[in-house]
Amino acid sequence: MARRTSESTPAPIERIVDIDVSDEMQSSFLEYAYSVIYSRALPDARDGLKPVQRRILFRMATMGLRPDRGHVKSARVVGDVMGALHPHGDGAIYDALVRMAQPFAMRVPLIDGHGNFGSLDDGPAAHRYTECRLTHAAMDLTAHLDEDVVEFVSNYDGRETEPVVLPAAFPNLLVNGAAGIAVGMATTIAPHNLGEVIKAARVLIDKPETTLAQLMKIVPGPDFPTGGIIIGTDGIKDAYATGRGSIRVRARAAVEQVSARREGIVVTELPYNVGPERVIEKIKEAVESKKLQGVSDVRDLSDSDHGLRLVIEVKSGFNPQAVLANLYKLTPMEEGFAVNAVALVDGQPRTLGLKEMLTVYLDHRFEVVRRRCQYRRNKAASRLHLVEGLLIAILDIDEVIALIRGSDDAAQARDRLMQVFDLSHEQASYILEMPLRRLTKMSRLELETEKGELLAAIAELDRILGDDSALRALVSEELADVAARHAKPRMSTILDGDNVISVSDVPLEVADEACIVVLTGSGKVVRCPIGTATAAKPGKHSAVRALVTTSTRSDFGLITNQGRVIRHSAMEIPALGENTSDFSGAATANTLAPMRSRETVVGITALATEGTGLVLATRAGVVKRVVPDVPGSAGDWNVIRLDDGDEVVFASDLQTGDEELIFITSDAQLLRFAASLVRPQGRPAGGVTAMNLNDGAHIISAAAIAQKHVDHSFVTTIAVGGGVLPGTVAGTAKVSPLSEFPRKGRATSGVRCQKFLKGEEALALAGITVDKPLALTASGAVAELPAARIGKRDASGEFLDKVVTVIGGRL
């Protein structure tokens, strides 16, 4: 064999093309920019969808993933879209699918997602874990695609076709908005309320000359799926007029009592695309950098049942409204939304205002409905042509059958039918394919009925196609039907600039002003300004049990039945304005501070370090005056040493030192003596005997009445059968002036204050009140007490309805 030499091997042909680098860069960049702008980033102004969104919805509609069918794996949809229409990677397709399923991203979601589709702070689960199907709104976007309503083009490999644009039964570009970044341009369109947008579109159909100002009366501004408050209208006007504008959106927040001791700011809505975790992070950064003051804690209590609930606790002494204003300034609780309404119109990117977007959509919708009517008209005419041929054949059916049987083949039969009966090729072919069951009398009647219906349908479609006003009216009616099925109330509130809270509107810290703290008969604690009106609405929440005068930045004490004083800030008590008539929304005393087992609040004290001190009375008949002694910064301390089984039943500050102390026992004994007979003691002491008690008796009520009030004070007692709880049965009540009862010495037995009737064994309730006493039922209704009885201090009572408390004095 001859050896092949290197000379026999042909040299490779080199293809070197000289090009200019700048020309190549320009050409390649323009092709890339064109691809991004038209095939990825910008939505079409007609259906408001980017190509990937359109392909997802179209493919899901082709797969039959309707709302009345079960969900399918998202991975299946992503794979089908990627394989048939959008070969750009599964990540981009799934991201677009997820966004169309998120209710916080879309004002009207187009995909019904099942599984974890993410939140404002977290991404979704992988597509192999989630499922999806179309929503009813998406069905409206893809409806009638089989009726030649839009143009179809070949897909990337020419094996399938896809629509250039969807029919879009509602203005999706405005309703759901859009966001995208192309090359050299970007688009950001805010979501809007579907009902408002459709109403504006219908107005524009009826009156194309409608001005932008008139349209804005219908569409006042965006309507974000996350709600929020839009501040000012100037940015909205700019965006609707020119397609560019800046809109300020604030969180929806309210000042509430978030705990027994603190007020706080509760956020229930955030600006569009702002998550609670981002807000919490910014709040913490602002607090750590000392830019934000007055915030003590932030908690995210959001859940799927109640939605967003972000609780921001405010420190005592800080004005919650001022803190809220600073939160708007320093955190994403207020953010700007920059509108840049760029969309494709006739294949070209354009910046559109509100009227332009509606006009482009309506022109598209007119074309869709016109093509649909023309398709249906052509289909009806084609069917009418066949029906007329069938009617001819049925009238001469015997001759038709004989003609067919006498023909050599189908082609000959068709030609003879066309010649003999003057039929068209389509009619003759259809008759040859007609089954024998159609040759009955009933079929003839059905065909004649169908012919009449087809003629009527063709006439109606001809009317619509021949009359532009009829076409516009049909489009308007269909839009109204979509609004009736999908429209929801507006979520975003629009405020003008005059109703905006700014940092300078309110002081950050609350001024130290005089106030009174009130303990009501129902156990509520409220803070009221000095001089609060005295004509409050009678009820269980407005009856005063005790009150102290203090200031907003001072402390007061809650006195419990276990002889403990708990320090509390007046600032942390809910404040009620002047002329307040109902304290039902105030804090309950037992929730203001941590309580021990079976511990309840029986009184309040101003925590004075000077003056006459505090007086307490116990169930076992012990009285104690406590010297003014308030431990420095202690949160709580004991003011009396109690014997086992004993408890405090009354506690109050002494105002002048000349008060008289009154005690009433369960066996209807009353003792009255001067408070000066009780020597003040230190906090560890156990007190002294106030009253000698009979066997089985105990103190049920006590009071300290100033000398100036003795002559117009009253004693009210209510007797019931033994072992009966107050308020469960009716009893007998008696009201007597306090002056009817003589003064006696401390540690004596007192005198009888009510004579028991047969069956009565004890007093269920008693009260020593200044001015007219007030008896309340469990529902808070005022029970009518008998008139005061003079000269009969130990008489029996008169029958009275069930009451639970007797209190005197009202705010």
Side-chain angles (χ1 to χ4, degrees), residues 85-352:
L85 303 175
H86 196 77
H88 292 290
D90 60 340
I93 299 173
Y94 186 55
D95 287 345
L97 186 151
V98 165
R99 180 172 176 81
M100 290 191 289
Q102 291 174 332
F104 53 84
M106 306 285 281
R107 189 62 181 86
V108 179
L110 303 178
I111 291 179
D112 177 14
H114 182 67
N116 178 15
F117 275 79
S119 67
L120 287 166
D121 296 307
D122 298 312
H127 51 57
R128 61 182 177 275
Y129 299 121
T130 61
E131 298 177 337
C132 63
R133 65 184 177 188
L134 294 176
T135 63
H136 290 283
M139 295 299 295
D140 288 331
L141 286 183
T142 58
H144 311 302
L145 277 172
D146 57 345
E147 294 184 303
D148 191 34
V149 292
V150 295
E151 295 294 330
F152 277 71
V153 295
S154 298
N155 70 335
Y156 65 92
D157 60 3
R159 298 181 181 181
E160 298 192 33
T161 59
E162 61 176 312
V164 175
V165 65
L166 294 185
F170 60 88
N172 182 61
L173 182 65
L174 275 167
V175 171
N176 281 319
I181 300 176
V183 177
M185 63 183 66
T187 183
T188 310
I189 303 174
H192 290 75
N193 184 271
L194 182 141
E196 295 174 354
V197 170
I198 287 182
K199 185 177 180 181
R202 296 186 67 200
V203 168
L204 207 56
I205 291 174
D206 295 336
K207 299 178 180 179
E209 70 280 1
T210 302
T211 64
L212 176 62
Q214 292 172 327
L215 289 176
M216 286 190 64
K217 293 180 180 179
I218 305 171
V219 185
D223 186 22
F224 297 103
T226 53
I229 302 172
I230 299 174
I231 303 300
T233 58
D234 292 341
I236 298 175
K237 293 176 182 177
D238 293 340
Y240 285 173
T242 66
R244 297 176 183 270
S246 180
I247 301 173
R248 301 297 299 176
V249 185
R250 279 186 175 179
R252 191 180 301 278
V255 177
E256 298 181 11
Q257 193 71 27
V258 297
S259 68
R261 300 176 63 92
R262 291 191 186 279
E263 283 187 315
I265 299 167
V266 178
V267 181
T268 54
E269 295 175 6
L270 287 172
Y272 190 48
N273 290 332
V274 174
E277 289 187 8
R278 179 181 164 199
V279 173
I280 293 174
E281 181 182 355
K282 292 296 183 181
I283 290 176
K284 291 180 178 178
E285 290 178 0
V287 171
E288 291 173 358
S289 62
K290 308 297 183 183
K291 294 180 180 179
L292 179 62
Q293 298 180 353
V295 174
S296 62
D297 190 22
V298 185
R299 300 189 306 275
D300 185 5
L301 304 182
S302 307
D303 57 42
S304 57
D305 295 329
H306 302 91
L308 176 69
R309 185 175 176 83
L310 192 63
V311 178
I312 304 169
E313 285 194 5
V314 178
K315 292 180 180 179
S316 301
F318 286 85
N319 192 316
Q321 291 292 345
V323 174
L324 177 58
N326 280 326
L327 286 170
Y328 286 142
K329 178 182 178 181
L330 300 172
T331 72
M333 283 179 57
E334 178 177 333
E335 284 223 330
F337 185 92
V339 176
N340 185 27
V342 178
L344 297 176
V345 180
D346 296 329
Q348 300 294 323
R350 282 180 51 190
T351 302
L352 305 173

Side-chain angles (χ1 to χ4, degrees), residues 347-367:
Q348 300 294 323
R350 282 180 51 190
T351 302
L352 305 173
L354 175 64
K355 186 173 181 178
E356 288 80 3
M357 282 189 276
L358 288 173
T359 301
V360 171
Y361 167 75
L362 289 175
D363 290 343
H364 167 63
R365 193 62 189 168
F366 294 148
E367 179 64 20

